[in-house]
Amino acid sequence: MITGGERVISLLSSHGERLYRLLVRMTLCEQVAEDLLQDLLVKLSAADGFVEADRPYAYARRAAVNLAFSWIRGRKRVVSLEADAQVAADSPPWLKLVEAEEIQLLLDHMESLADRDRTILVMRYFDEASYTEIGEAVGQTAHQVRGLCHKAIKRLRAVMHDADGENLAQRTEVKP
């Protein structure tokens, strides 16, 4: 019988880097991602569900996403320039900062989505999973996942638009 520690070691050797990259993309800070990865590994080694999971990486990814969103909820409003951003390395620091702030805003709004929408978007855009991989994780076909992803993005845009509208209304409110 495989123990939690053995399964964690196996997971770390096969998917450790992928989990780390996911956490860096979600937290925008390598140091935080390292800490969260350590927390994740400790929790997984003690979790009976992980030992019994048919797909250990899917279980670990879900736990990592939950840890990252918990950290996001509890963090102070600090934006790190250590982001695994898509901005070129020779870009000016202000451009990296702008992208990091936009990612933080996006993650803040993603928390208000339903769990399945959030899972699909995280897998597709942060974990860079294929539609087929996502389909296996959520029990849908790749074609259905494309549609679900499109709908999740529409809902995220609506949430962000509503938040912008509320913020704009608050800023333009006239006080007596």
Side-chain angles (χ1 to χ4, degrees), residues 112-171:
S112 65
L113 295 176
D115 192 42
R116 184 173 78 166
D117 288 347
R118 191 172 49 239
T119 298
I120 289 170
L121 292 177
V122 166
M123 287 181 72
R124 182 70 182 145
Y125 296 105
F126 287 89
D127 197 21
E128 298 176 346
S130 69
Y131 290 120
T132 304
E133 286 178 288
I134 299 168
E136 290 171 2
V138 298
Q140 303 285 328
T141 67
H143 183 70
Q144 289 169 325
V145 169
R146 279 190 187 106
L148 291 171
C149 192
H150 175 74
K151 289 177 184 177
I153 289 172
K154 282 179 74 172
R155 284 190 276 274
L156 180 60
R157 284 182 179 147
V159 165
M160 293 179 79
H161 177 73
D162 289 347
D164 286 344
E166 290 172 10
N167 290 343
L168 181 60
Q170 289 172 353
R171 281 186 265 146

Side-chain angles (χ1 to χ4, degrees), residues 27-124:
T27 62
L28 302 175
C29 182
E30 290 181 8
Q31 189 173 17
V32 170
E34 289 172 9
D35 292 344
L36 289 178
L37 184 60
Q38 288 178 358
D39 291 348
L40 174 68
L41 297 176
V42 168
K43 289 181 181 191
L44 290 177
S45 66
D48 292 335
F50 177 67
V51 173
E52 298 167 4
D54 292 332
R55 296 184 325 230
Y57 174 69
Y59 188 99
R61 180 185 51 233
R62 175 81 170 212
V65 168
N66 290 339
L67 276 174
F69 273 113
S70 293
W71 178 82
I72 290 167
R73 275 191 298 276
R75 79 183 188 294
K76 303 246 188 296
R77 204 81 174 136
V78 176
V79 178
S80 171
L81 291 179
E82 294 181 59
D84 180 22
Q86 295 176 357
V87 178
D90 59 343
S91 297
W94 65 266
L95 189 56
K96 291 178 185 178
L97 179 64
V98 168
E99 181 163 303
E101 287 177 347
E102 289 172 350
I103 291 171
Q104 283 297 142
L105 184 63
L106 178 71
L107 288 168
D108 290 342
H109 290 300
M110 282 179 67
E111 278 198 281
S112 65
L113 295 176
D115 192 42
R116 184 173 78 166
D117 288 347
R118 191 172 49 239
T119 298
I120 289 170
L121 292 177
V122 166
M123 287 181 72
R124 182 70 182 145

